């Protein structure tokens, strides 16, 4: 199985500051035929189902604010929030959907410092 | 509007069975894979398995921990996906979500709670 490892487990950031969450895949999740990374990012707030933020690693889902950016290459990916807002407090997950089982990272809890 | 509504969660004893349902609306159900994801209390997300759409043979894949115990099926005439769970273990306790698609799930239900306890 592909192991997805996120860092850090907990991130404390001041409002208005940049937040960076990392996700590393244990093997390539790039499908060479279409040059797409099979990676998604989700945001989950307490008591709610996860919400899709990015798919194909970099494609922002409709309605997601542009302060959120997905980046990376190879087996290393990053979710960046350029200026943290109070409503961004949540747990963030990456997920690979290249090879079943489509594993999630362990999650990163983002809180306000 | 796309909607997914899970049901069937309950308190069940170890070794018991449950069938969860996911009623879908607002999209062409038969064209999409449907996925089940679970979340133990206070823990992270775990991909359980999925069923491909009719165009891809309606085949299934599962995480190793549920293979042979869980079965995902679908009824495209009713727009419902099912998760049949047999030989339940305490570690199967959690919220079960259904989602649309194989990966990059753009729609999720609110989940149904399964508690496995004696």
């Amino acid at each position: 199985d592909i192991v997805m490892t996120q860092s850090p487990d907990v991130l404390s950031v001041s409002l208005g500051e940049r937040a960076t969450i990392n996700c590393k895949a244990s093997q390539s999740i790039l499908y060479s035929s279409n040059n797409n990374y099979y990676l998604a990012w989700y945001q989950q707030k307490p008591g709610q189902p996860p919400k899709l933020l990015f798919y194909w690693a970099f494609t922002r889902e409709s309605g997601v604010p542009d302060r959120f950016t997905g980046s990376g290459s190879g087996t290393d990916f990053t979710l960046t929030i350029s200026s943290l807002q109070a409503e961004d407090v949540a747990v963030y997950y990456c997920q690979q959907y290249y090879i079943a089982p489509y594993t999630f990272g362990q999650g990163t809890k983002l809180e306000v410092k | 509007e796309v909607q997914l509504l899970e049901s069937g969660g309950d308190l069940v004893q170890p070794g018991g069975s449950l069938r969860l349902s996911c009623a879908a609306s607002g999209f062409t159900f038969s064209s999409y894979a449907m996925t089940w994801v679970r979340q133990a209390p206070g823990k992270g997300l775990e991909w359980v398995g999925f069923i491909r759409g009719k165009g891809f043979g309606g085949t299934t894949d599962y995480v190793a921990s549920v293979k042979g115990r869980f079965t995902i099926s679908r009824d495209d005439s009713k727009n419902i996906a099912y998760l049949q769970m047999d030989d339940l273990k305490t570690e199967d306790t959690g919220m079960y979500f259904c989602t649309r698609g194989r990966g990059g799930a753009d729609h999720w239900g609110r989940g149904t709670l399964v508690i496995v306890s004696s």
Side-chain angles (χ1 to χ4, degrees):
Chain A
D1 297 357
I2 297 177
V3 177
M4 305 299 289
T5 304
Q6 292 182 228
S7 61
D9 290 334
V10 180
L11 179 62
S12 296
V13 175
S14 300
L15 293 176
E17 296 300 305
R18 178 184 299 264
T20 301
I21 298 170
N22 301 300
C23 175
K24 185 176 183 64
S26 62
Q27 64 183 77
S28 174
I29 53 174
L30 173 66
Y31 188 41
S32 55
S33 295
N34 58 20
N35 207 36
N36 279 329
Y37 289 104
Y38 282 53
L39 181 94
W41 286 100
Y42 300 91
Q43 174 194 67
Q44 187 180 30
K45 297 181 179 180
Q48 296 183 19
K51 172 188 173 183
L52 178 67
L53 298 177
F54 290 89
Y55 54 97
W56 305 131
F58 318 123
T59 303
R60 189 181 294 109
E61 173 70 347
S62 175
V64 173
D66 60 8
R67 64 180 180 272
F68 290 86
T69 302
S71 63
S73 64
T75 58
D76 294 287
F77 302 91
T78 300
L79 175 67
T80 302
I81 307 173
S82 60
S83 175
L84 186 71
Q85 306 299 303
E87 61 264 31
D88 300 334
V89 169
V91 179
Y92 292 83
Y93 297 92
C94 60
Q95 182 202 20
Q96 65 82 18
Y97 49 100
Y98 182 66
I99 296 176
Y102 298 145
T103 42
F104 289 90
Q106 80 276 19
T108 295
K109 183 177 182 180
L110 177 58
E111 57 185 35
V112 175
K113 186 186 290 184
Chain B
E1 180 192 3
V2 172
Q3 291 192 352
L4 299 171
L5 182 62
E6 303 93 338
S7 61
D10 204 347
L11 170 63
V12 61
Q13 291 188 338
S17 297
L18 273 180
R19 188 178 79 159
L20 307 184
S21 299
C22 172
S25 60
F27 63 101
T28 305
F29 180 76
S30 61
S31 297
Y32 285 83
M34 296 298 294
T35 296
W36 288 92
V37 174
R38 68 183 178 183
Q39 187 168 37
K43 301 299 184 183
L45 302 172
E46 181 181 30
W47 185 88
V48 173
F50 84 118
I51 184 166
R52 296 172 178 82
K54 184 170 60 174
F56 293 89
T59 54
T60 53
D61 271 303
Y62 303 92
V63 68
S65 59
V66 309
K67 270 182 190 173
R69 300 189 299 122
F70 289 13
T71 303
I72 297 173
S73 61
R74 63 191 299 155
D75 185 337
D76 289 348
S77 69
K78 295 181 179 178
N79 292 353
I80 299 177
Y82 300 99
L83 177 62
Q84 175 67 41
M85 304 187 294
D86 298 318
D87 189 23
L88 281 160
K89 306 177 187 301
T90 55
E91 54 263 37
D92 295 320
T93 292
M95 187 69 77
Y96 283 71
F97 299 98
C98 72
T99 80
R100 183 178 81 161
R102 186 189 81 169
D106 58 354
H107 291 278
W108 295 61
R110 296 204 62 84
T112 187
L113 182 61
V114 173
I115 300 174
V116 184
S117 175
S118 55

